[in-house]
Amino acid sequence: MSTIARHCLAMLLLAILLPHKSLADNTAEKSILVLGDSISAAYGMHPSEGWVSLLEQRLQSQGYSHYQVINASISGNTSGDGISRLPLLLENYRPDIIIVELGGNDGLRGYPLKVMRNNLQAIIHLSQQAGAKVLLAGIEIPPNYGQRYTDAFRASYVSLAENNKLTFLPFILKGIATNPALMQADQIHPTRQAQVIILDNVWPYLQTLL
């Protein structure tokens, strides 16, 4: 394969892998980037049914139509995946606000909390260096991982929020995770009916940054 052909193929793959940005959104003056995992990637349902898609609709109805929403969430992503993807996302979208919803998969896999904290801190630092406001969305893990790990996991988000003076949502699945009717069969992912509750959890914190 020639050098030119390889270059064209690389550009095509990059265009496919980057989050979708519709032509209709090109007039938006500001942007919100959602950097998350399956909770924000609408796992188990159509993307249009997820809370991030509902956020786009609420912004329109509440007079924030000058904001474009870029959903860069990928199911299964860890904090390490997030920091590896962030530089290119910042370069391409230059977001004004970044909602960071990562860490749940780190906890479920029992990763060292120091590594998770360092990754999230790097995400926060890069975002702020790029001029973006950060909303940190916390998550909690099941108690079967042991009280010590569970408490330390929760405290990691609190310390990150306090040390960086962030707008902080303590638990994005508040009112959902303890209700089996609002969780999918795996009892990890929220249902379609829970998406509006997630948005209601996020909205008051996000609105302070708009």
Side-chain angles (χ1 to χ4, degrees), residues 159-200:
S159 62
L160 284 166
E162 291 178 348
N163 293 340
N164 293 280
K165 296 180 173 56
L166 302 178
T167 300
F168 175 48
L169 165 58
F171 187 27
I172 193 170
L173 296 184
K174 180 181 179 181
I176 299 169
T178 56
N179 185 346
L182 294 175
M183 299 295 287
Q184 296 182 38
D186 59 13
Q187 291 300 301
I188 295 176
H189 298 97
T191 63
R192 184 183 303 107
Q193 292 75 20
Q195 300 303 306
V196 69
I197 303 176
I198 298 176
L199 176 57
D200 287 340

Side-chain angles (χ1 to χ4, degrees), residues 57-131:
Q57 298 172 30
R58 183 166 296 185
L59 288 166
Q60 293 287 329
S61 66
Q62 295 292 320
Y64 298 104
S65 58
H66 54 294
Y67 277 94
Q68 171 197 0
V69 179
I70 301 130
N71 193 358
S73 304
I74 298 178
S75 294
N77 261 200
T78 63
S79 61
D81 295 318
I83 188 59
S84 68
R85 295 196 294 119
L86 183 59
L88 187 59
L89 291 168
L90 291 173
E91 180 181 346
N92 281 280
Y93 296 105
R94 303 183 184 278
D96 298 277
I97 299 172
I98 298 180
I99 301 175
V100 180
E101 181 273 300
L102 286 169
N105 288 309
D106 299 64
L108 291 175
R109 298 172 189 179
Y111 286 178
L113 295 181
K114 182 178 180 180
V115 174
M116 182 188 80
R117 284 193 299 269
N118 287 343
N119 288 336
L120 290 175
Q121 179 59 58
I123 288 171
I124 292 164
H125 178 72
L126 282 180
S127 299
Q128 293 178 332
Q129 285 290 100

